[in-house]
Amino acid sequence: MINNDDIDQIMVAQNTLQSGGVLLYPTETIFGLGCDALQYDAVQKVREMKSRPDNKSFLVLCSSLDQVRKDFELTQAEDEFLSKLWPAPCTVVLRPKHHKLKDLCSESGGLGVRWSSHPLLTKLFEKWDGYLLSTSANLSGESYSDTQGHLESIFKDKVDMIIGLEEHYELMGQRDVVLPSSVIQLEPEFQVFRSGAIDSNELKHHWHNTIS
C-alpha cells in the first residue's frame, strides 16, 4: 500500500539521487545502500561508506526488463528466462552494451542486475529512469542486521536519506528470515555466485527448462 507520505518520500528520494546523494532503502529482501549508478562520485561515496575494497563490484537495480534489453546484451534464452522470473529476488550477471555501465563491471566484464518487486522502488522507478546502485546495508566484513535501531546507528549520519524504514519495522514480526537476493549467471553456462532468497536448484531447473 502506497500512501501520500510514501509519495512525498519518493519525490525526495528522486531528487536525492539526481543530486548525487546516497539512499538507505528497502527491497523485498534486505535493506540496501545505493545511489545513481551512473554518477561516479556518488558510487565512490557508497564505497567509502561501506569501507568496500575497490576490486569488489556492485550490482544495480533496474526499472523493467525493457530497460535491461536496451542496455545489456541478452540472448534469446536469457530474455525468455527473465521475462518469466522478474521482478524477483534474483540478481543475474549480464554484460552491458554501453561504456556508461562498464565502469561498474567486475574484472570478467559482467554486472549483476535485478528488477525488484518492492512497491516503494516500483514507484521510485516510475519517476526516475536510472539504475540504482545496490549493496547490502552493512559495513564490509560485518554481518547484516536490520534489527530495530541497528541500521540507523550505523548509517543515519552517513546517508542523505532513509526511506521505508518505519514500515519495514512494522512488518518485521510478519516475516520469516530474510535472505539476500540469489546471484546467478546464465550464459555461457549456469553458475551460482550467491545462494539466496530463491533456491538455487529451482533456478537451475527453470533455466534448463528454458534452454531445452
Side-chain angles (χ1 to χ4, degrees):
M1 176 75 70
I2 297 290
N3 57 40
N4 289 336
D5 289 340
D6 291 330
I7 292 171
D8 290 341
Q9 281 194 88
I10 289 163
M11 293 179 64
V12 176
Q14 176 189 2
N15 292 333
T16 299
L17 293 170
Q18 290 172 337
S19 63
V22 176
L23 298 181
L24 176 65
Y25 59 87
T27 72
E28 74 275 40
T29 56
I30 62 178
F31 256 78
L33 287 173
C35 62
D36 181 343
L38 301 184
Q39 293 196 39
Y40 176 82
D41 289 343
V43 173
Q44 290 306 108
K45 280 197 284 187
V46 175
R47 188 174 294 282
E48 292 169 6
M49 203 173 288
K50 278 190 60 119
S51 301
R52 190 177 180 87
D54 290 341
N55 64 347
K56 294 196 70 173
S57 59
F58 294 108
L59 63 90
V60 296
L61 300 183
C62 64
S63 62
S64 66
L65 182 53
D66 283 339
Q67 184 186 26
V68 172
R69 288 175 177 139
K70 181 179 70 174
D71 292 324
F72 289 83
E73 299 174 1
L74 286 179
T75 65
Q76 183 176 346
E78 285 174 323
D79 193 301
E80 182 180 343
F81 178 86
L82 293 175
S83 68
K84 295 177 180 177
L85 175 69
W86 278 353
C90 182
T91 299
V92 180
V93 177
L94 301 170
R95 288 185 175 270
K97 295 178 181 179
H98 311 299
H99 177 73
K100 65 180 183 179
L101 287 167
K102 289 185 176 179
D103 288 342
L104 296 168
C105 291
S106 66
E107 293 180 357
S108 64
L111 176 61
V113 192
R114 180 158 76 91
W115 179 8
S116 170
S117 64
H118 195 284
L120 281 179
L121 293 181
T122 299
K123 288 296 181 182
L124 174 61
F125 279 118
E126 288 176 1
K127 302 290 184 182
W128 180 73
D129 61 356
Y131 285 95
L132 180 61
L133 192 84
S134 188
T135 181
S136 57
N138 62 291
L139 301 178
S140 291
E142 296 187 5
S143 300
Y144 173 85
S145 173
D146 58 7
T147 53
Q148 191 153 0
H150 181 76
L151 291 174
E152 300 101 302
S153 70
I154 298 175
F155 294 111
K156 182 178 181 180
D157 296 327
K158 296 181 179 181
V159 300
D160 296 285
M161 183 181 181
I162 299 174
I163 184 171
L165 194 58
E166 291 184 8
E167 179 187 58
H168 173 76
Y169 286 149
E170 290 173 0
L171 295 173
M172 283 182 68
Q174 304 173 27
R175 62 178 190 161
D176 297 326
V177 174
V178 174
L179 299 172
S181 69
S182 304
V183 182
I184 62 172
Q185 174 183 284
L186 301 173
E187 300 279 18
E189 61 182 3
F190 184 89
Q191 189 172 351
V192 177
F193 293 113
R194 181 176 72 195
S195 298
I198 302 179
D199 182 77
S200 298
N201 289 327
E202 179 182 344
L203 291 168
K204 186 175 184 178
H205 174 74
H206 288 318
W207 173 242
H208 284 169
N209 283 345
T210 300
I211 61 177
S212 61

